[in-house]
Amino acid sequence: MDAKDVAWSDVFEWKKAVELGVVLMIIMCQTGANSIFYYSSTIFGFAGFDDAILGTVIVNGVLCSVTVLSAYLVDKMGRKTLLMGGTQTMFVALVTLSATMWFGDSLGEAQGAIAVLAVILFVMGWGIGLGAVAWVVMAEIIPTHIRSKAYSLFVSVMWLNSFLIGMCD
C-alpha cells in the first residue's frame, strides 16, 4: 500500500496503538517540560546569571547530550526502564524546584543554585525518558504503512497541548 493511499480510517483501525501514541504525546506535554523550557532563562536570571540566555544554552546543551545518551541506552536498558527512570527523575526535580520556590528567601543565596540544578535534573530526566523514548515506542507500535499519517496526528496533539500550556502559563 502506497502512503498516498492510506486513509484516516486505516489509521484508526489500529485503535490501541493510536490511543497509546496520543496519550504519550499528552503526557509528554503535561509533565511540565514546556514550562521548564519556556522559563529556563527566567529561572537562570533569578539564580543570578548575568546573561540569562546562557541558561537556555545550558538547558539545550544538556537536552541534546542526554538525548544522544538515550539513543544509545534505549536498546541496552529498555524502553520501560528509561521511561520510568526519566519520569522519576523529573518528579524529584519538580518537587525540588517547587520546594525551592516555596521556601524562597529562607534559602538565601542557595535558592538560585538549587533551582538551576533542579531545572538541569528535570531536563536530564525528560531527555533520557519521555522526550526521546516516547518517539521510539510510537515508531514501534505503528505499522509502517500508516506511520506518516499517525505521526501527523501525534504531532498535532503535541502542538495543541503545547499551545494550550503556553496560553495558560
Side-chain angles (χ1 to χ4, degrees):
M1 180 181 282
D2 192 356
K4 291 184 270 183
D5 299 330
V6 174
W8 282 106
S9 59
D10 297 329
V11 173
F12 289 108
E13 285 178 9
W14 293 85
K15 185 178 180 187
K16 293 274 187 209
V18 170
E19 286 174 353
L20 180 59
V22 167
V23 167
L24 277 172
M25 289 293 101
I26 291 170
I27 290 170
M28 191 183 338
C29 289
Q30 297 295 326
T31 57
N34 292 359
S35 297
I36 293 292
F37 293 125
Y38 293 161
Y39 295 109
S40 62
S41 59
T42 303
I43 294 169
F44 277 71
F46 172 72
F49 279 68
D50 292 332
D51 188 9
I53 198 73
L54 180 63
T56 302
V57 172
I58 291 170
V59 164
N60 287 318
V62 169
L63 179 59
C64 183
S65 300
V66 296
T67 301
V68 169
L69 179 62
S70 181
Y72 174 75
L73 293 175
V74 73
D75 286 328
K76 295 189 180 329
M77 295 181 69
R79 286 105 178 103
K80 183 178 180 181
T81 301
L82 290 180
L83 283 170
M84 295 302 289
T87 304
Q88 291 167 352
T89 301
M90 290 164 49
F91 176 77
V92 168
L94 285 178
V95 167
T96 302
L97 183 59
S98 298
T100 301
M101 298 302 171
W102 180 267
F103 293 113
D105 296 335
S106 66
L107 296 172
E109 290 183 20
Q111 181 184 17
I114 295 169
V116 166
L117 290 175
V119 166
I120 291 172
L121 183 65
F122 178 88
V123 169
M124 291 174 72
W126 192 82
I128 207 158
L130 280 170
V133 179
W135 295 100
V136 173
V137 169
M138 288 185 304
E140 293 174 343
I141 63 172
I142 298 294
T144 307
H145 72 281
I146 64 165
R147 192 168 294 154
S148 61
K149 243 188 183 129
Y151 261 55
S152 70
L153 172 66
F154 302 151
V155 171
S156 296
V157 167
M158 181 189 70
W159 280 110
L160 176 63
N161 270 277
S162 294
F163 172 76
L164 294 173
I165 290 167
M167 296 302 293
C168 295
D169 272 350

